[in-house]
Amino acid sequence: MSVQSLPGLRKSGRGRPFLSLVGTQLKIEYGGRGISEKLGLGETKRFSPYLYVIFIAIGFVPLLVMLFKLANALCTALVEAGQPGLTVIMALVLGQMFVFFMAISHLMSALYYSNDLETLLGLPLSPWQIMSAKIVVVYLGELIFALVTVMPFLIVLGPKVHVTEYWIYALLVFMLAPAVPIAISLLAVVILMRVTNRARKKDLFRVLFGLLFFVLILGFQYANANLAKYGPESAVSLLLERNGLVQLAAGYYPILKWSAWALTAETPLARAGGLFLYCGVSAGALVLMTSISQRWFLGGVGREVRSAANDRAGTRGEQKALTLLAKVHSPRLAVMLRDHRVLVRTPNHLLTALLNLTVIPLIMLFGYIGGGSELKPLLGMINDPRVVDILSLIVAGVNGLFVGLNQIASTAVSREGSLFRLSKVIPVPPEEQVRGKLWYCMCYALVQTAITVVAAWVVFGVDLLHLWLIAGLSALAAWPVSIIGLINDLYHPKLTWTDPQQAMKGNFQTMIAGLFAVLYLVLVGAVIRTLYIFGVKTVGLYCTAFGILLVSGYLLQGFLWDTAAKRYSEIEV
């Protein structure tokens, strides 16, 4: 059988199976049916998923407006100081750090835990073609996420620099923003999967090394961006030159410098040279790492393909779940332990959960090392009890936001995948199963709350009484926020996925749950702020916050039990 005659690989350009494979992968991932599955909408009309995506985008308009305002303020200040190139560097650093955060688990999932991998390996396709097609899909996904972090800075900078070819160059800079992070992450993932393929505790090693890789990236970024290491004399002298600080900000990572030259250099020749270097090195790094990695790609596949083909979430998961139900006397505890096993059995899920927990402490740690000691006297001035009270309320609200975005509650059902068919038949009422899920989400949220409390103590020097208030408010806020995520996942579960990435980071419903959580916290914050404006004392503010969280949590919990009883019978796997 020829390649051209294979179903799914036929395309207008015959004899080009790679282009056909890329087209098929993109259609599966971003076509109407693929988007519908990601959103948990099931079978819908052709254009319905795209309309749903438009409504989601509208929900993010307030966030985009805030980002544009922030970008405009920073850009205006830097342009007036004669350092417009720093705006480009800030945009690229922010976008590439976000890509690093997403790409590790995304590449691992797409390349090694995808259910279609065994089928693709059985076709007359080379490992290079299979891996490259999946990288294209990952690249496009990361480019969409980078759109939110990079483009606001580039858009507000354009009218301020008065460069004729700016918009063409800015588009090229943005299009290649994910190239280097994906290239480095690709090499790290392929080497990691190959080295640990025969290890007994390979899943644990992969998660730990994935975390270590992310820590190293943050450490490099800190060392690269720490201007203090050059001394005040160098910084002041370069501040007087146009784009003088670009050289310092680029540090050991010249791609940042080249991107700044491409958009803000004074002469057309310098801008063209910067663009050439930026595009050439970025695209070349991705091609080179793909070429090197494809030689080791199959060495890391091993049993991962067989496990995916045999539906890891199925037979083996059912046996372990039944064992837990048989050994544990409390069904609620059994559900909690099963949810924990579902989370940790796949490195992609566990790595995502741990990254969500560690990213804030790591950023805080590097920020403190890079200048926190100098800011401590300033932060120590926050000793007015009224200020500390307001700060405590804000920290508790921020912790609730992080809980709403940590993807534990909002994917509690989706992570089960095909294993959910077992949840429909085991002799445990749906309400009791959801109680176990809520308890597990709260355990995770309490760990996140502990991190928030430690951060408040280290960064702001909050006293013991207010630390207890922050802990209590944060834990209480996590309750209704987790319920909101569970309810949303019950209504739109993502149970059919070709790779684990789609259950968590690739699940659009987590963004919807996050928006609902933000809306809830904004409403609570608006009530507290209104009372504060009308002169309500601190005790009244705290009592109101505790009261709102308790009452709303109780009402939402009752709705959750009713929803579970209804939805468990309606959901089909």
Side-chain angles (χ1 to χ4, degrees):
M1 181 181 296
S2 65
V3 172
Q4 292 85 350
S5 63
L6 289 172
L9 289 181
R10 178 175 295 178
K11 202 173 176 69
S12 57
R14 292 190 174 184
R16 296 181 179 179
F18 173 69
L19 296 179
S20 180
L21 176 61
V22 171
T24 302
Q25 292 281 309
L26 291 175
K27 184 177 180 181
I28 292 173
E29 190 75 13
Y30 302 111
R33 181 176 298 179
I35 294 178
S36 179
E37 290 179 354
K38 288 182 179 63
L39 295 172
L41 300 178
E43 294 293 333
T44 60
K45 295 183 180 180
R46 183 174 182 181
F47 298 105
S48 297
Y50 299 106
L51 293 175
Y52 202 82
V53 170
I54 292 174
F55 288 131
I56 294 175
I58 293 175
F60 280 94
V61 168
L63 175 62
L64 289 175
V65 171
M66 183 181 68
L67 286 175
F68 270 100
K69 288 183 177 180
L70 174 62
N72 185 61
L74 291 173
C75 181
T76 301
L78 291 173
V79 170
E80 291 178 354
Q83 308 296 326
L86 286 182
T87 304
V88 183
I89 291 179
M90 291 172 59
L92 206 60
V93 167
L94 184 62
Q96 292 195 343
M97 286 304 300
F98 190 80
V99 171
F100 268 122
F101 178 74
M102 300 288 291
I104 301 171
S105 58
H106 200 171
L107 285 168
M108 185 182 295
S109 181
L111 293 176
Y112 293 99
Y113 293 97
S114 176
N115 289 339
D116 65 349
L117 188 55
E118 186 181 41
T119 301
L120 293 176
L121 290 174
L123 296 176
L125 297 167
S126 67
W128 184 90
Q129 291 175 319
I130 296 172
M131 189 174 71
S132 299
K134 289 186 173 294
I135 291 174
V136 169
V137 175
V138 172
Y139 192 97
L140 182 58
E142 301 301 330
L143 196 63
I144 294 173
F145 285 114
L147 183 67
V148 180
T149 54
V150 178
M151 287 306 291
F153 291 89
L154 300 185
I155 290 175
V156 299
L157 178 63
K160 301 178 185 299
V161 294
H162 307 292
V163 174
T164 306
E165 67 276 14
Y166 176 86
W167 297 108
I168 298 176
Y169 285 11
L171 180 62
L172 292 174
V173 168
F174 164 72
M175 293 295 292
L176 286 171
V180 173
I182 289 180
I184 298 174
S185 300
L186 173 64
L187 184 63
V189 166
V190 171
I191 293 176
L192 173 62
M193 296 296 288
R194 181 180 176 89
V195 171
T196 60
N197 191 35
R198 298 183 181 274
R200 292 184 58 186
K201 299 289 185 179
K202 60 181 179 180
D203 288 349
L204 177 61
F205 285 134
R206 288 168 180 175
V207 171
L208 293 178
F209 280 112
L211 285 173
L212 177 61
F213 174 72
F214 186 69
V215 171
L216 292 175
I217 292 298
L218 282 179
F220 171 79
Q221 183 54 44
Y222 155 72
N224 182 70
N226 185 15
L227 298 180
K229 63 179 180 288
Y230 296 103
E233 296 80 6
S234 300
V236 171
S237 62
L238 291 175
L239 183 61
L240 301 177
E241 302 177 12
R242 176 181 168 81
N243 277 337
L245 293 181
V246 166
Q247 183 69 33
L248 297 185
Y252 313 111
Y253 190 40
I255 288 178
L256 298 177
K257 175 176 58 179
W258 299 332
S259 65
W261 288 354
L263 300 182
T264 63
E266 292 184 306
T267 64
L269 183 60
R271 292 193 294 269
L275 182 70
F276 176 77
L277 290 171
Y278 170 81
C279 294
V281 173
S282 298
L286 183 58
V287 173
L288 177 62
M289 293 304 180
T290 303
S291 178
I292 294 174
S293 301
Q294 62 90 19
R295 303 175 183 178
W296 306 322
F297 170 51
L298 293 182
V301 175
R303 288 173 291 180
E304 307 301 335
V305 172
R306 293 193 293 273
S307 63
N310 293 332
D311 193 359
R312 299 172 57 193
T315 305
R316 190 173 64 179
E318 292 176 3
Q319 294 173 352
K320 292 181 178 179
L322 290 173
T323 301
L324 286 174
L325 287 171
K327 288 183 177 181
V328 181
H329 296 291
S330 169
R332 196 175 303 176
L333 180 57
V335 172
M336 292 178 63
L337 293 175
R338 188 192 64 174
D339 270 24
H340 179 69
R341 189 178 296 277
V342 168
L343 180 68
V344 303
R345 73 184 179 190
T346 303
N348 180 275
H349 290 167
L350 182 58
L351 183 60
T352 298
L354 293 179
L355 283 174
N356 287 335
L357 278 180
T358 57
V359 62
I360 295 172
L362 287 173
I363 292 176
M364 183 185 70
L365 174 63
F366 286 118
Y368 187 77
I369 294 174
S373 57
E374 289 79 2
L375 293 176
K376 198 166 185 178
L378 177 62
L379 296 174
M381 295 174 63
I382 308 177
N383 53 12
D384 185 345
R386 188 78 168 177
V387 175
V388 178
D389 289 330
I390 300 302
L391 176 66
S392 300
L393 291 170
I394 293 174
V395 171
V398 171
N399 182 78
L401 175 62
F402 290 149
V403 171
L405 298 176
N406 66 21
Q407 300 179 313
I408 299 299
S410 58
T411 61
V413 178
S414 298
R415 289 195 305 270
E416 293 189 33
S418 60
L419 184 62
F420 186 76
R421 62 174 176 264
L422 177 64
S423 299
K424 293 170 65 71
V425 299
I426 58 177
V428 179
E431 298 92 330
E432 194 69 13
Q433 293 189 47
V434 173
R435 282 189 178 93
K437 290 182 179 295
L438 179 58
W439 280 24
Y440 183 72
C441 295
M442 287 302 298
C443 289
Y444 186 94
L446 290 177
V447 176
Q448 194 157 348
T449 298
I451 294 174
T452 301
V453 171
V454 172
W457 175 61
V458 172
V459 177
F460 299 108
V462 178
D463 60 90
L464 184 60
L465 174 61
H466 285 90
L467 287 178
W468 279 108
L469 289 172
I470 291 174
L473 277 173
S474 298
L476 193 57
W479 178 35
V481 167
S482 297
I483 293 174
I484 290 173
L486 275 168
I487 292 174
N488 187 78
D489 199 33
L490 279 170
Y491 274 104
H492 301 287
K494 172 63 177 171
L495 300 175
T496 304
W497 25 272
T498 56
D499 63 73
Q501 171 77 12
Q502 297 173 356
M504 291 192 73
K505 284 188 177 178
N507 189 345
F508 285 2
Q509 282 300 325
T510 60
M511 292 190 292
I512 303 298
L515 285 175
F516 284 137
V518 170
L519 178 61
Y520 168 81
L521 293 170
V522 167
L523 291 175
V524 175
V527 173
I528 302 300
R529 184 175 182 273
T530 301
L531 294 177
Y532 176 77
I533 292 174
F534 281 97
V536 176
K537 294 183 178 180
T538 302
V539 176
L541 296 179
Y542 278 116
C543 290
T544 302
F546 276 106
I548 293 176
L549 294 175
L550 280 171
V551 172
S552 61
Y554 178 78
L555 295 176
L556 286 170
Q557 183 173 271
F559 182 70
L560 175 63
W561 305 154
D562 296 338
T563 302
K566 175 184 177 182
R567 289 295 298 157
Y568 264 59
S569 60
E570 296 176 348
I571 297 174
E572 298 181 359
V573 183

